Amino acid sequence: MLDRNDPSFWSDLFETVLQGTGETLYTVGISLLFTVIFGLGAGVVLVTTEAGGLLAKPFGSRAWGIIINKVLDLLVNIGRSIPFIILMILLIPFTRLIVGSFIGPTAAIVPLTIAGIPFFARLVEIGIREVPIGLVEAAESLGATRWTILSKVMVAEAVPAIALGLSTTIVGLIGYSAMVGAVGGGGLGDVAFRYGYQRYSPEYMFAVVILLILLVQLFQSLGNFAARRLSHR
């Protein structure tokens, strides 16, 4: 048990929590980068390869569009169906193969990314589906290319919804990072578990909880602000 009367207690708490915050931001930031890159692409493909979609006939055949759509939809559903703690355990061999270890902040990036991609992909899909079909039809009637319709109409008009989806994804990743931290992934979850729980220090636990609340509020507020500023309504 940690002694709060020790002169170095509060300075140690500050340094430990600060290091944990840095590790959390590192793991969430890197995993978010990969999540946005692959999740955005997956969400766009889900919408455009469905029946009647913009890319319903890739490679000149409708069958390819159906196959791509169904396979990707299945993968997204599987990724969202597995609880994160189970997914993290299942990915231990893959994580060790990628980064050489399954312990530490860098190793935590792998399960966070795998969990974040299908979550964000579905939010991107929902956002693009909310774009009025009339805008797409108007662009087609003006002779716009498929790439122009996709980038300048569908994705561009869905940006406010995607911004909200992004903030929701960040909040989810922060929560996941706390879980992975409790099993050796570093970050604030590791601080709460090792110091707050194992060493019976409520000060560490409260500090972690307050910081997590502040981080969630910050990123959710930024997402809401961005969505309002980017909205055309």
Side-chain angles (χ1 to χ4, degrees):
M1 183 173 180
L2 295 173
D3 183 9
R4 65 175 60 90
N5 294 319
D6 189 326
S8 63
F9 175 83
W10 296 105
S11 61
D12 290 344
L13 183 150
F14 177 78
E15 292 178 4
T16 302
V17 172
L18 182 63
Q19 179 181 349
T21 303
E23 291 176 349
T24 293
L25 293 176
Y26 165 71
T27 56
V28 171
I30 300 299
S31 60
L32 180 66
L33 175 62
F34 290 114
T35 294
V36 170
I37 293 173
F38 294 104
L40 180 62
V44 170
V45 171
L46 280 171
V47 176
T48 56
T49 57
E50 65 182 358
L54 197 63
L55 303 176
K57 295 183 179 180
F59 314 114
S61 172
R62 181 173 178 271
W64 279 107
I66 295 175
I67 293 173
I68 293 173
N69 186 272
K70 296 301 182 183
V71 170
L72 186 56
D73 185 67
L74 177 62
L75 292 175
V76 169
N77 285 336
I78 291 174
R80 296 182 64 212
S81 301
I82 305 175
F84 180 73
I85 189 69
I86 297 176
L87 178 66
M88 183 174 57
I89 295 172
L90 288 174
L91 289 173
I92 285 178
F94 180 69
T95 302
R96 185 186 288 114
L97 177 65
I98 296 297
V99 300
S101 173
F102 65 93
I103 296 176
T106 300
I109 293 171
V110 177
L112 287 175
T113 301
I114 300 299
I117 289 174
F119 183 79
F120 184 60
R122 196 61 81 186
L123 294 177
V124 170
E125 178 191 9
I126 294 172
I128 294 178
R129 289 187 187 281
E130 292 179 351
V131 176
I133 189 63
L135 293 176
V136 178
E137 293 175 346
E140 290 177 338
S141 66
L142 293 173
T145 64
R146 289 189 295 182
W147 171 252
T148 299
I149 296 173
L150 178 60
S151 60
K152 302 297 184 181
V153 179
M154 299 177 71
V155 174
E157 291 295 323
V159 164
I162 293 175
L164 282 176
L166 181 62
S167 64
T168 303
T169 302
I170 295 174
V171 171
L173 290 176
I174 291 174
Y176 289 157
S177 72
M179 280 189 270
V180 76
V183 291
L188 291 173
D190 179 54
V191 173
F193 182 72
R194 286 200 295 126
Y195 293 88
Y197 175 71
Q198 292 186 328
R199 301 187 184 183
Y200 310 105
S201 177
E203 290 84 1
Y204 278 86
M205 189 69 75
F206 289 144
V208 169
V209 170
I210 291 171
L211 269 173
L212 288 174
I213 292 174
L214 291 176
L215 287 174
V216 168
Q217 291 296 322
L218 172 63
F219 287 113
Q220 190 64 63
S221 298
L222 288 175
N224 294 339
F225 175 76
R228 288 195 300 268
R229 291 298 300 270
L230 294 169
S231 177
H232 301 303
R233 301 175 185 177

